[in-house]
Amino acid sequence: MKVLHLQTGCRLHFGLIELAAGEPMRFAGLGLMLDQPNFELAFSAAESFTVDASPIASQNPTADSKDEFESRIGAAIRQRQALVAGTEQRATACHVRLLNALPLHSGLGAGTQLAASVAAGLELFTRAQPTSSAQPAANCLQPTLWQPILDAQPTLSAQWLSQHADRGLRSA
């Protein structure tokens, strides 16, 4: 089974600043990106979209709830489905498994990191799948083959991630 592993960092927030009261993108912030702690997700082929955050519950039963993580991942999947509905794009169904998680509501940007990582993972997983006229490439999800996939189509910009993750609505 082919699996895409995606790992994020986190953003240590130093606070939001309101730059232009009443304007749509009026907030800015200062933060420091860190490699750890992080989210780690695995995307694998499935008949329909499914989500599993049970590895998190087994690692730390007192941490954020498995149900909350699964709900947030499900919301990110629905956001993507809504964006590609009625377009020529396709959304490849897959199983999303949360292997490692940032603590929620702790000033590490966990909500944004999770939404962006699910959006990016779904896009990259879809790009790696063969089209109906193409034969599957052997080991098409191995990291050594990701660069040609990214080179063939535009990379995921901050604007793309903001739209597809449904984040950054108040800040730039």
Side-chain angles (χ1 to χ4, degrees):
M1 176 188 310
K2 310 274 189 294
V3 177
L4 164 66
H5 284 271
L6 192 138
Q7 196 169 14
T8 73
C10 66
R11 181 173 185 257
L12 181 59
H13 286 276
F14 298 128
L16 285 176
I17 304 164
E18 186 171 15
L19 297 175
E23 295 298 317
M25 300 288 273
R26 65 183 178 263
F27 295 105
L30 183 62
L32 175 66
M33 293 303 297
L34 302 170
D35 290 336
Q36 296 286 327
N38 62 16
F39 278 114
E40 183 180 355
L41 297 104
F43 298 79
S44 57
E47 293 292 319
S48 62
F49 285 104
T50 56
V51 178
D52 177 17
S54 57
I56 299 310
S58 64
Q59 288 173 16
N60 186 354
T62 62
D64 298 305
S65 113
K66 167 187 166 298
D67 293 338
E68 184 172 4
F69 282 117
E70 288 179 354
S71 174
R72 285 173 176 255
I73 293 169
I77 291 170
R78 288 187 297 280
Q79 171 71 9
R80 175 173 173 75
Q81 288 176 306
L83 286 170
V84 299
T87 70
E88 292 182 17
Q89 292 179 316
R90 59 191 170 99
T92 302
C94 60
H95 176 71
V96 181
R97 186 170 184 172
L98 183 60
L99 303 172
N100 193 45
L102 288 168
L104 297 172
H105 315 293
S106 61
L108 295 174
T112 298
Q113 290 296 329
L114 183 58
S117 63
V118 171
L122 293 173
E123 176 66 13
L124 294 173
F125 190 82
T126 295
R127 287 184 188 184
Q129 300 308 304
T131 61
S132 58
S133 62
Q135 293 297 316
N139 301 317
C140 68
L141 295 180
Q142 286 186 355
T144 56
L145 296 179
W146 280 107
Q147 198 55 51
I149 293 166
L150 292 172
D151 289 345
Q153 297 180 20
T155 58
L156 307 179
S157 68
Q159 182 179 2
W160 186 97
L161 281 171
S162 176
Q163 178 186 16
H164 287 255
D166 199 24
R167 304 299 283 196
L169 303 175
R170 293 177 297 150
S171 60

